[in-house]
Structure formats: C-alpha cells, structure tokens
Amino acid sequence: MGESETPELDENTPSAAELEAAGQAAMFGAPPKESSEPGKPAADAPVPEPASAAKAEPPVKSATAPATDPSQPYRVLARKYRPQTFSELIGQEPMVRTLGNAIARDRLAHAFLMTGVRGVGKTSTARLIAKALNCIGPDGQGGPTIQSCGVCEPCVAIAEGRHIDVIEMDAASHTGVDDVREIIEAVRYAAVSARYKIYIIDEVHMLSRNAFNALLKTLEEPPAHVKFLFATTEVEKLPVTVLSRTQRFDLRRIPADMLADHFGSICRQEGVEAGDEALRMIAAAAEGSVRDGLSILDQAIAHADLENEAKVTADRVRDMLGLADKGAQRRLLAALLEGDATALLDAIADQYALGVEPLALMRGLMDLCHRITVTKLGGEGAAAALGAASEDERQALESWANALLPGQLHRLWQLLLKGHGEVRQAPDPLVAAQMALLRALHAADMPDPGSLVKTLEEMAASAAANPAAGASSTDAGTSAAQSAAAGPDFPELVSRIERSGKTGALLLATKMKMQVEVISLEPGHLVYRLADGFTDDLGPDLRQALLDVTGTRWQVELGSGDAEAAPTMVAADRAAHDARRAETRRHPLVEATFAAFPDAEIVETDENAPTSYTRSA
C-alpha cells in the first residue's frame, strides 16, 4: 500500500492528459497503476508510448513476445501491426506520393474519400492523414508532414484513439440526420488542441439519403480548420453530389508477392518460423487484403505443431484452408488430359478423403489451366506464373504449354468454369465434380468446331469434284400439265376468293386448293374434276364465288374422271417442297455432313414447310 501512495507524495498532481491516458490504458487492459512495471503496456503497443509513460524507470520488454505478460490480453496481428506511418502502408505508393506532394505544396483538399476492398488500409489511411496534418514534431514546432514523428502528443493521442479533435464515426450505426446535425453544429467551433479538427466517417455509404443531403453544404464549404475523411467499400452507393466534393483515392489490392514478404517480416518479428510456400498460400487466400491475410496467418500460427518448433508449414496451411496439394492437382489434370477415367476418379476420391472440398478442387484446376495458358503466351505473364512455382511444377507447366493448343486450353477452361458453377449449386458437390470432370475428359474425343468445319469443307470439295450420277430431275410432265391446263390464273382466282370477305369464302378457297384438279381454264369457263377421295358438289358455290370476284357469270363443269388434269394446289405445293428437299439433300456440303454424321436429320423451319390443311370429305 505504501508503494501505491508514493507517486502522490513524491510527484506533482497529474495533468488532464495524464489522467486521460491512464483511463484509456485501464479500459484497454493495461496493467494497473500500482504495477512494478508501468512501462510494459507502452512496449506492447505498435505506437510510441505517451508522454505520461515516459517517466517509467524499468526496462521495456520486447514486442516480439506480448503474450508473456499474463495481465496483457493477446492482440491479434491485424491490430498489433496496423500501420503507424505511411512508410508502413504497403501497396499504396501512388496515394502516398499524391498526399506527400499536396502537403509539401500546401494544396490540401478539405475532404478525402478512401475506397477499396476490405482490409487494404482505408481506415488506417484516414488515421495516418489525421496524424500527418496535426503532427507538431518532437520539438513541438513542426508543421504538416507526410512523415509524422509518432512521438508528439497529437500523434500519440490519435494513434491511441483519444484525441479530442479527431472524431471517428461509424456510419453503419449512425445513419440518420440527427447524427449529421451534430457534426454540422460542431464544425463551427475551432479545434481544441490540434491544428485541424478532423472527422473520420467509416462506411460512409451507410448514411441515409437525408443524411447525405444535410451534409452537402458543410462538405462543400467547411471551415478552414475542418477536414473530412471518408472510407467506404461500396463507393457506387455514394451520391454523385458527395463524390464531386471529395478528393478520391482508390486503394488497390495488395499483390500476392508483396503480401507474402509482409507476412514473412511479421513472422520474424513474432519469432515464428514460417515456410515460403506456406506464406504464398496465405497471401493467395487473402485475395489482396492485408487484414484477411493477417487473420489467416494468426490462425496458421495457432494451427502449427508445437512439437515441430511451432513452424508454419505448407502442409498445415493446406489442411487448414482445405486446399488441394499442387502435386495432386497436377496428377489430376494429367489423368484428365490423358483420358484415363479410372485414374481421374481415383484422384478425386483421394483428394476428397484428405478433406479437399469439391469446389476447391475445381478452383485449383481452373487456376492450373490459367497458368498453363499464360505460360504458353510467354512474356511477363509467363514469368509471373512460373516465378513462384517449384522446379517440378515449372517443368509440368512448360510441358503442357508446349503440348496443348490455345483452342484446347480455352475449351478446357470453359468446361471447368461450367463445372465450377454446377458444383456450387449441386445438392451433392462431389458427384457434380466427378461428372463435370468426366465430361471434360470425354470432350477430348469430340472434334473442335474449327476442325469439324475444315473436314466438312474438304468432303464437300471432294463431293463437288465427283458428283453422284443418276440425279433425279423434277417431274416436268406434271408441271407442264399444270401450266397448260390450269394456267396462271387459277391460283390468283383462289386468292381473290379468299380475300373477298364473303360468307364461306375461306372454306370454299380451302376446298378449291385441296379438291379441284383443273382440266381446262378459259375466261368465263372452268372444267374441273375432284381429287380422289372427295365427292363434294362445288359447282354452285364456284359459280357464285367467281361471279362475286370477277363480275361475270362463269360456266363451271365437272369433267370426266379419265381426263388429263393438273394436280391440286396442295399437291403441287407438296411436290415443289419435295423437289427442294431432294435438291438440298444432293448438295455437296450436305452430303459431306451426312457422311460424317450418318444419324443426322434435316430440320425444316416453319416458312419452308409445306402448307398443312385439314382433310374434309
């Protein structure tokens, strides 16, 4: 008890800043004030220790083993290694260069918008900008700088999230006009202790439409001492009126090789040994997100075997993420390309037994197909595809790239892509993956469209050079009889009756097409006979209909059955259709197609089919 009272007897009354720092430390799990090592929490934090902690005499422990102190809770890597300076922010060099030039030339915008996918540093960038604008340097005389010192009171307070002039608001939980009204009313007052009063609004796209409208005027003409920093993952949801009032920075995904190097550096600081292949797997699974990658790395460190010196190995990461072994992927693709269905199914079963999900299996084969295609094209893409590969994998990729044609690779990609969608939606993903890969295997036996067209052209040229003898001609006698007996006027008369609009005209026109075989046709005189199977007496109806459409009386006679007559219009239409079909069938290209595909059929469109009528006696 005497030790805890010593500071009150020997030290002056603590300042407000020291009291606030002590409160923050107590809230976030720092050792109590009476601890014998008051400087320890400052050593664990990734930011410089506050001025109040600088009075501590005991030596500070290394940050590589933060979990050794039982009073300090474990901090995940994504929080522990959050960038504290722009030099620690990886993969965003264009943005850092732009901000540095703007600060150096005193051309700072009043509002900044950071957008990008999750975990690329949007909120961290906003805090770094706040530190850069309010930094006063170690001597307290500095101005805005892209390289903040990290030791002055504003830098320390902003890093700890306790600066009174840097206000962070989560728009996901503060979406209304009332929340924005508080900002509008507060911007009128100058900063308390900093150079600028800064408002950081995270997930700004979650604000309501009325909240955006309320903010527009203040956002367009804020006071000189106010800066707005917005962060969002869905910039397309922001109104155009907001986008036009901000300076936008699109934060890019971090390349996988840069992520792997970054994770390796963190492992060295943590005193953890990790294999290069394991780090590359984690970087690939992160999909360009630093936070996602650090979360996976945290899990991989915990997943590592303690008896193996807690080393993060590729096998452990592969098991943890459910990824397929690259050697197994190559064996699976080799079985597919060689057409060995039994080996293919065995390889799928082996991977599934090891815990590899069918969807991950399809995704791994797609990635392998893409890398083979890029390797075949050469250039920088091939260098990137082969750069991170082992020697065995490099040889396999180069061998397949030399053996496969571009068309085959593109067709394989389409089959794998279709199979991936089917596996995702199938009730039994394993069965769907097996069927999809078997389909890709058997598709190798089918000719590709280019080869098929070339074969058909060659067969057509051969058939044209040796035309088949004995080609039948159309029935000229029937056509001549129709032309001589019926003449060109009978179809026109039928058409005029059809269009006359008289009662029963359509039915009569149909009967004329189906039943009437013209023996002779002259102006005002029609001699006809009925087709076989019909017994209707059409004479009276024909006389009246012809009178209606021509205005003259017609003599209509029913001739003898043995007289020569032209076929009915329906029969003539069918004969013409059969002649066209036979002519099409004798075309050299069609002959070649039937030779290649004996079971093929000629399918007719509706406009080419013969007219169909209902038979009525």
Side-chain angles (χ1 to χ4, degrees), residues 29-32 35 40 68-73:
S35 170
K40 189 178 301 181
T68 56
D69 185 1
S71 63
Q72 181 74 5

Side-chain angles (χ1 to χ4, degrees), residues 161-239:
R162 58 177 177 81
H163 200 291
I164 193 172
D165 292 321
V166 178
I167 301 96
E168 289 194 33
M169 186 181 87
D170 177 24
S173 56
H174 300 79
T175 61
V177 176
D178 293 338
D179 301 301
V180 173
R181 186 179 291 116
E182 294 180 4
I183 297 177
I184 297 174
E185 294 175 352
V187 296
R188 296 178 298 174
Y189 303 103
V192 176
S193 61
R195 187 178 295 111
Y196 294 102
K197 178 181 285 188
I198 295 176
Y199 291 90
I200 301 176
I201 304 180
D202 203 2
E203 302 299 336
V204 68
H205 67 274
M206 299 292 288
L207 289 178
S208 66
R209 183 183 63 179
N210 293 335
F212 275 123
N213 292 335
L215 186 61
L216 286 180
K217 186 60 179 177
T218 303
L219 184 61
E220 182 176 8
E221 298 177 355
H225 61 273
V226 173
K227 301 291 183 184
F228 288 99
L229 305 178
F230 298 150
T232 179
T233 55
E234 302 181 43
V235 68
E236 67 278 358
K237 292 185 178 180
L238 295 183

Side-chain angles (χ1 to χ4, degrees), residues 74 77 267 270-275 278-279 282 295-321:
Y74 175 71
L77 298 180
C267 286
E270 289 288 310
V272 174
E273 187 177 358
L279 295 178
I282 295 173
S295 299
I296 297 173
L297 180 60
D298 234 336
Q299 184 180 357
I301 293 174
H303 190 71
D305 287 329
L306 294 177
E307 60 270 15
N308 193 23
E309 299 180 356
K311 181 178 180 179
V312 179
T313 62
D315 292 337
R316 283 293 182 179
V317 173
R318 189 179 296 111
D319 293 340
M320 182 185 73
L321 298 178

Side-chain angles (χ1 to χ4, degrees), residues 85-90 96 146-147:
T85 63
F86 278 108
S87 60
E88 298 177 7
L89 187 68
I90 64 172
V96 175
I146 195 67
Q147 297 294 341

Side-chain angles (χ1 to χ4, degrees), residues 36 45 155 173 183 193 303 324 343 354 447 450 522 578-579:
S36 60
C155 287
S173 56
I183 297 177
S193 61
H303 190 71
L354 292 175
E522 297 176 358
D578 292 341

Side-chain angles (χ1 to χ4, degrees), residues 95 111-116 122 129 201 204-205 228-233 235 238 242-251:
M95 181 195 67
F112 298 91
L113 171 64
M114 274 66 68
T115 179
K122 299 182 295 298
I129 293 176
I201 304 180
V204 68
H205 67 274
F228 288 99
L229 305 178
F230 298 150
T232 179
T233 55
V235 68
L238 295 183
V242 172
L243 295 176
S244 64
R245 288 167 167 82
T246 59
Q247 190 171 103
R248 172 175 169 177
F249 292 103
D250 290 277
L251 277 68

Side-chain angles (χ1 to χ4, degrees), residues 93 115 162 166 190 198 253 274 328 345-346 446 451-452 520 532-533 579 607:
E93 289 77 11
T115 179
R162 58 177 177 81
V166 178
I198 295 176
R253 291 181 184 269
L345 293 177
D346 291 342
M446 299 176 60
S451 301
L452 181 59
S520 68
D532 294 340
E607 58 269 19

